[in-house]
Amino acid sequence: MANLFLLQLLNGAQFGILLFLVAAGLTLVFGIMDFINLAHGVLYMLGAYLMAMFALETGSFWLGLLLALATTLVVGLVLEWLVFRRLYDRPHLDQVLATFALMLILSEGVKILWGSAPLNVAMPELLSGSIPLAGPLRYPVYRIAIIVAGLATAAGLWWLIARTRAGMLLRAGASNRPMVAALGTDISRLFLLVFALGAMLAGFAGALVSPVLSVDPGMGDSILILTFVVIVIGGVGSVKGAFAGALLVGIVDTVGRIFGPIWLKLVMDPAAATQAGRVLAPMLVYLLMAAVLSWRPNGLFGRPS
Amino acid sequence: MTLLAVRDLRKSYGALAVTDGLSLDVAEGELHAIIGPNGAGKTTLIAQLSGQLAPDSGSVTFDGTDITRTDMASRVRAGLARSFQITTLMPAMTALENVALAVQGRSGSSFRFWRPVAAEAALNDQAMTCLAQVGLADRADRPAAAMSHGEKRQLELAVALACRPRLLLLDEPLAGTGPQEAERLVALLEALKGQVTMVLIEHDMAAVFALADRISVLVYGQIVASGGPEEIRQDPAVRAAYLGEEAC
Amino acid sequence: MSAAPKAAIALLILLALVPPAAAAIGDPFLTVIATRMAVFAIAALSLDLILGYGALVSFGHAAYLGLGAYAVAVCARHGITDLFLQMGAAALAAALFAAVSGAVSLRTRGIYFIMITLAFGQMAYFFFVSLSAYGGDDGTALAARSTLFGRAWLENDTAFFYMVLACLALAYGGLDRLVHARFGRVLTGTRESELRMRAIGYRPFRYRLAAYVLSGMICAVAGVLLANQTEYVSPAYMAWTRSGELIVMLLLGGVGTLAGAMAGALVTVGLEELLAGWSEHWRLCFGLILLAVVLWSPAGLTGLLRRLLAGGRR
Ligand SMILES: Nc1ncnc2c1ncn2[C@@H]1O[C@H](COP(=O)(O)OP(=O)(O)OP(=O)(O)O)[C@@H](O)[C@H]1O
Ligand SMILES: [Mg+2]
């Protein structure tokens, strides 16, 4: 039981890390540009598809990953330049509509290019297999690699935000937008940078997850909504909040699905518990979000409006 | 009789004490002007009196009742209305609709779903009276967004009057009005004196000294002097702190 | 009569003429499309009440469509097949869900509101996905359409269409009264300036909540009709993309005018049918059209129309 719990905790953390990678860029875009991007999930999906394609073409996981990252970065740059920068001063509603349209276009484009059938990506030799964890328990190396890669990215982001000039502007922007706007010309370059970086991180998450999940056209949708939950729980604009929110959501979701029914069995009869568990588990993160918001309407690390 | 009593009110933004242990009494029927340099904390004071902002500590008593923690809506119902320094209107609504909405707020339930509100003569008549009072009768059907700055200031006042307040908090009603509009508004305030108790924040010293029964001087979140217009004019501290540039 | 009600009535008459026209050219599918248009027009009207008049950008409105649809399935399984009873049940369920979710969501503003309504929508979605008694993910087919006074009148597509049209006319008429009544003016006021509303003695929350609940109830009625039209019920009705589509309808038609909401629904459903008949990748074209409209015509199609007309007059 304790072992199973540990296992699920790790799975939850791994899922949370992925959510963080997708959420990091999105929360900055929300916080600094006050911009709603419904097309962000598609970039995650695109990362996975590009990974599948490049890994197959080049025959190398690593080369595929590199190419996938570079391509999502370019896609981010192009999208910002073509569409998003025209929408920054428009009302939220227009942003919702435009990025919704973009989501339709991109996900349909992916279907045209790669078809609707799920694709698979081979695990790299180096990271296959599993290692002993505690007692008889083993854990796949690749999942540990995801956690490590995610934590390294988080550390890199922390360094970028805390220690560099661009990061200083970012922090200023997230807490006081007019001030950054007053800095003038720098701002459009900063926006472009944030956007492209966010796109790349989402693509990175998609590429990372491709060997463990099947790559399919619906994968962007489900992650996007969870990412919103993460951002809202953490507080819009806060990368720290996104990190905390992502781990919380990842763990609550994963552990809740497995342990919800088990715990419910302690208080009700098994058949009812199984049914109730199935119904409640997927709703758990949304309940969590509602609870956090009714306690703190601006999220855990959000600034008061 | 004291209508509004403020005791040791405090509000800070970080290290900045914007309201710094402020106490103030406004007697029923008087026009009490509050003057002070930019950034002295005048608007912040009004915000706390009207319930838009919660003070950190201290108390506000209106007509004998402690209202420190009651919300804006209840204060309005109790007879405390305000105008905004930064015009706050319904841009898409006409002048008449703006005022009628304020009248509606104190005339029966708004959970009515069927009868066209535009046809409610009682609301429209009262709203027209308020518009006429501020001199906007001929602008009744103009959307607020399409009005000139001065007209918006007049409308702002009409909306506040439509609440039928016992105490009217006016945050720079003359700011941005032309000389003619200002003259008309001063005449209106003159006419309102005695009927409505008023707290008037204003930078136009000529208007303040002409209208006020009492004047309080607010500097750095504190009342540094309070008294009749003559007293304030003579007060050396006030002259130094505030009137200095105008005295010479 | 001002321009907007005229346009709305013209739209209703236009729809009413579809079945005879379909009969004349021998294409009964036209009536089916018109039924879908009318159903979504009701849903769009309900969303327009909160989004257009209350500036509450709800991104979970499809949940109410789904609630309505499932109300049909649940009622039918328990032997209640009467359309009006089912509508009552749907409206009640929607009112409960809206009251609870609204009480939480309406504490937030802006982006937070958009996201929390989205989250509540997803909650409803996953609830029905896990409801294995009603087919879970796949949904379940209805044995028959709802009955009216114990008769199976609605099995006839034309009769059903006119039933839906009557509901649409009723929804439009009722909402038109409402937005011009005291309540509507207060709701519009909260959209224009919340601070000003509070400063003249209103508590915006209660009006917003009332509008939110009412809007959910009307949308649930649309859901009842949608389930009857497709004779199928599935969680797909409440997918978040469906909520997005409802917003698209409003934006295409122009937010905050009831006639615009209806026109937007008609155009969106029509466009979807047209493009879907043309290519299986119709979403790509649909997305491109949407993007073009947002980037170049901020006030939607009505705005575009208005500008074209104004341009013509000049
Ligand atoms: N929300 C806020 N956060 C931080 N500081 C604030 C805030 N609101 C006001 N201040 C500061 O409080 C001080 C007082 O502001 P306030 O608007 O009350 O001044 P005022 O006396 O009305 O000035 P004016 O004559 O220009 O209208 C100013 O220094 C202002 O910068
Ligand atoms: Mg001020």
Side-chain angles (χ1 to χ4, degrees):
Chain A
M1 189 77 167
N3 278 346
L4 181 61
F5 190 73
L6 183 64
L7 198 69
Q8 292 309 325
L9 211 58
L10 273 175
N11 281 342
Q14 180 241 297
F15 184 40
I17 289 281
L18 284 173
L19 283 175
F20 168 70
L21 289 180
V22 183
L26 197 56
T27 200
L28 284 175
V29 168
F30 274 145
I32 297 174
M33 307 169 207
D34 197 28
F35 182 81
I36 302 193
N37 183 9
L38 297 177
H40 198 72
V42 180
L43 295 167
Y44 166 81
M45 173 184 69
L46 197 65
Y49 269 99
L50 288 168
M51 179 71 198
M53 183 179 78
F54 287 130
L56 199 68
E57 297 275 320
T58 62
S60 155
F61 174 89
W62 303 105
L63 215 53
L65 182 62
L66 205 67
L67 286 172
L69 281 184
T71 315
T72 45
L73 184 73
V74 170
V75 169
L77 289 172
V78 170
L79 283 182
E80 205 275 346
W81 184 69
L82 270 183
V83 182
F84 294 126
R85 62 174 48 186
R86 291 163 213 276
L87 294 165
Y88 291 144
D89 347 304
R90 301 280 287 273
H92 283 156
L93 218 47
D94 286 4
Q95 300 171 351
V96 164
L97 188 62
T99 57
F100 185 74
L102 212 55
M103 186 202 76
L104 291 178
I105 296 169
L106 289 176
S107 49
E108 205 59 37
V110 162
K111 273 188 215 162
I112 293 174
L113 279 177
W114 288 290
S116 299
L119 303 180
N120 289 306
V121 175
M123 195 154 303
E125 198 66 35
L126 183 66
L127 300 175
S128 48
S130 59
I131 54 164
L133 204 61
L137 197 66
R138 300 180 70 81
Y139 200 70
V141 175
Y142 190 80
R143 285 179 181 269
I144 291 178
I146 291 182
I147 297 181
V148 172
L151 288 177
T153 313
L157 263 183
W158 174 83
W159 175 82
L160 191 75
I161 291 171
R163 291 290 146 89
T164 64
R165 201 184 111 75
M168 188 204 77
L169 282 176
L170 279 185
R171 268 179 297 142
S175 57
N176 185 352
R177 202 139 18 90
M179 193 193 102
V180 169
L183 296 176
T185 48
D186 252 345
I187 196 90
S188 60
R189 278 232 310 280
L190 184 71
F191 282 10
L192 184 65
L193 186 87
V194 171
F195 227 102
L197 189 72
M200 192 176 75
L201 286 178
F204 183 46
L208 271 185
V209 85
S210 61
V212 282
L213 285 182
S214 70
V215 179
D216 69 69
M219 66 189 289
D221 273 12
S222 42
I223 196 116
L224 178 70
I225 309 295
L226 279 179
T227 309
F228 284 169
V229 173
V230 163
I231 290 172
V232 167
I233 288 180
V236 167
S238 162
V239 176
K240 198 180 359 163
F243 190 76
L247 284 181
L248 200 61
V249 167
I251 290 172
V252 165
D253 191 55
T254 310
V255 172
R257 273 171 210 271
I258 306 295
F259 282 86
I262 297 178
W263 286 330
L264 281 175
K265 274 181 195 143
L266 299 177
V267 291
M268 51 171 75
D269 78 278
T274 311
Q275 180 60 26
R278 279 171 43 112
V279 172
L280 282 179
M283 292 167 52
L284 217 53
V285 291
Y286 301 106
L287 290 173
L288 176 72
M289 164 169 163
V292 168
L293 280 194
S294 47
W295 171 49
R296 295 178 70 110
N298 294 302
L300 294 177
F301 293 89
R303 68 200 128 100
S305 54
Chain B
M1 197 208 100
T2 307
L3 185 59
L4 181 80
V6 181
R7 288 293 168 271
D8 197 27
L9 205 65
R10 286 171 198 276
K11 176 86 196 170
S12 324
Y13 289 114
L16 181 70
V18 182
T19 307
D20 193 7
L22 184 148
S23 296
L24 179 74
D25 283 297
V26 178
E28 176 126 48
E30 77 175 350
L31 193 159
H32 194 127
I34 296 178
I35 59 174
N38 289 106
K42 304 181 294 294
T43 298
T44 310
L45 173 63
I46 294 283
Q48 293 170 85
L49 298 184
S50 65
Q52 185 191 347
L53 264 182
D56 297 339
S57 68
S59 73
V60 181
T61 310
F62 180 66
D63 198 18
T65 323
D66 186 332
I67 56 163
T68 317
R69 300 285 156 208
T70 50
D71 70 349
M72 258 176 133
S74 320
R75 293 189 203 203
V76 176
R77 305 243 148 128
L80 214 159
R82 71 172 288 189
S83 74
F84 291 87
Q85 179 178 1
I86 298 166
T87 307
T88 306
L89 296 163
M90 321 290 182
M93 293 189 181
T94 64
L96 185 70
E97 286 167 347
N98 266 282
V99 184
L101 195 50
V103 178
Q104 183 184 321
R106 56 168 172 78
S107 1
S109 170
S110 286
F111 281 98
R112 294 193 195 156
F113 302 92
W114 195 252
R115 239 183 97 202
V117 62
E120 285 196 45
L123 298 187
N124 292 341
D125 292 349
Q126 292 182 57
M128 271 317 285
T129 312
C130 298
L131 282 176
Q133 253 182 314
V134 300
L136 281 179
D138 57 338
R139 291 284 187 272
D141 292 325
R142 178 170 288 212
M147 295 181 122
S148 75
H149 182 76
E151 287 172 342
K152 282 182 188 161
R153 300 303 305 163
Q154 287 166 280
L155 183 54
E156 181 83 33
L157 192 58
V159 171
L161 284 175
C163 298
R164 287 236 181 106
R166 291 179 60 200
L167 174 62
L168 192 51
L169 306 169
L170 299 168
D171 197 353
E172 301 199 20
L174 304 184
T177 54
Q180 272 185 338
E181 291 154 337
E183 205 173 303
R184 143 154 240 144
L185 286 176
V186 169
L188 172 63
L189 295 183
E190 185 72 59
L192 284 173
K193 260 178 78 168
Q195 304 169 34
V196 188
T197 313
M198 281 179 272
V199 170
L200 171 69
I201 287 173
E202 191 45 68
H203 281 303
D204 181 339
M205 286 307 134
V208 166
F209 281 97
L211 284 168
D213 300 311
R214 285 175 71 77
I215 300 177
S216 293
V217 183
L218 182 63
V219 181
Y220 292 127
Q222 292 173 328
I223 303 280
V224 297
S226 197
E230 239 7 82
E231 248 175 287
I232 292 298
R233 223 194 287 270
Q234 303 308 328
D235 191 313
V238 175
R239 292 179 77 100
Y242 188 67
L243 295 176
E245 65 270 21
E246 293 187 17
C248 46
Chain C
M1 207 188 301
S2 69
K6 259 193 218 152
I9 287 163
L11 282 176
L12 289 172
I13 292 175
L14 205 70
L15 275 176
L17 294 178
V18 170
I25 62 169
D27 186 358
F29 192 60
L30 277 186
T31 307
V32 176
I33 294 178
T35 311
R36 272 184 83 75
M37 287 177 166
V39 168
F40 279 102
I42 299 176
L45 278 176
S46 76
L47 182 60
D48 200 23
L49 175 65
I50 51 173
L51 198 155
Y53 291 88
L56 302 170
V57 183
S58 164
F59 215 115
H61 214 57
Y64 298 97
L65 214 52
L67 273 180
Y70 272 93
V72 177
V74 174
C75 284
R77 184 161 299 181
H78 292 89
I80 302 170
T81 55
D82 186 79
L83 183 73
F84 293 125
L85 286 180
Q86 290 176 343
M87 282 180 174
L92 193 69
L96 283 176
F97 184 59
V100 173
S101 66
V104 177
S105 327
L106 289 168
R107 289 165 46 88
T108 62
R109 284 285 95 76
I111 283 184
Y112 285 95
F113 182 79
I114 297 181
M115 302 228 220
I116 196 166
T117 48
L118 185 63
F120 274 114
Q122 288 300 101
M123 242 167 85
Y125 174 78
F126 284 120
F127 176 79
F128 286 102
V129 162
S130 59
L131 211 59
S132 45
Y134 289 89
D137 222 346
D138 297 325
T140 176
L142 298 175
R145 279 192 180 150
S146 307
T147 56
L148 271 184
F149 314 113
R151 307 285 183 89
W153 281 327
L154 300 179
E155 292 300 334
N156 178 309
D157 276 346
T158 308
F160 179 61
F161 168 75
Y162 282 112
M163 182 69 219
V164 175
L165 190 65
C167 291
L168 174 60
L170 220 66
Y172 168 74
L175 284 174
D176 189 53
R177 293 297 297 217
L178 182 144
V179 300
H180 291 108
R182 278 187 168 210
F183 183 81
R185 188 174 274 179
V186 172
L187 190 63
T188 313
T190 65
R191 170 189 80 191
E192 295 286 299
S193 169
E194 167 162 7
L195 180 58
R196 170 46 82 190
M197 286 305 281
R198 291 201 287 136
I200 53 178
Y202 293 94
R203 294 196 179 90
F205 178 81
R206 51 178 73 178
Y207 301 98
R208 287 184 171 138
L209 187 61
Y212 191 77
V213 169
L214 192 66
S215 162
M217 291 167 76
I218 297 173
C219 194
V221 168
V224 169
L225 297 170
L226 182 64
N228 269 290
Q229 192 254 318
T230 55
E231 298 185 49
Y232 201 85
V233 170
S234 97
Y237 291 159
M238 34 176 97
W240 72 275
T241 44
R242 180 73 78 178
S243 299
E245 252 173 77
L246 289 176
I247 296 181
V248 164
M249 291 174 185
L250 288 193
L251 285 151
L252 279 182
V255 178
T257 65
L258 297 174
M262 291 206 283
L266 264 55
V267 168
T268 308
V269 173
L271 204 61
E272 281 177 7
E273 294 289 342
L274 200 71
L275 292 173
W278 176 57
S279 154
E280 67 167 309
H281 297 298
W282 62 273
R283 284 195 183 83
L284 186 75
C285 309
F286 188 64
L288 286 171
I289 293 174
L290 276 188
L291 195 59
V293 170
V294 196
L295 290 183
W296 288 294
S297 178
L301 291 182
T302 40
L304 193 66
L305 211 63
R306 215 173 292 136
R307 269 193 305 176
L308 287 179
L309 290 178
R313 268 187 222 129
R314 226 177 281 135

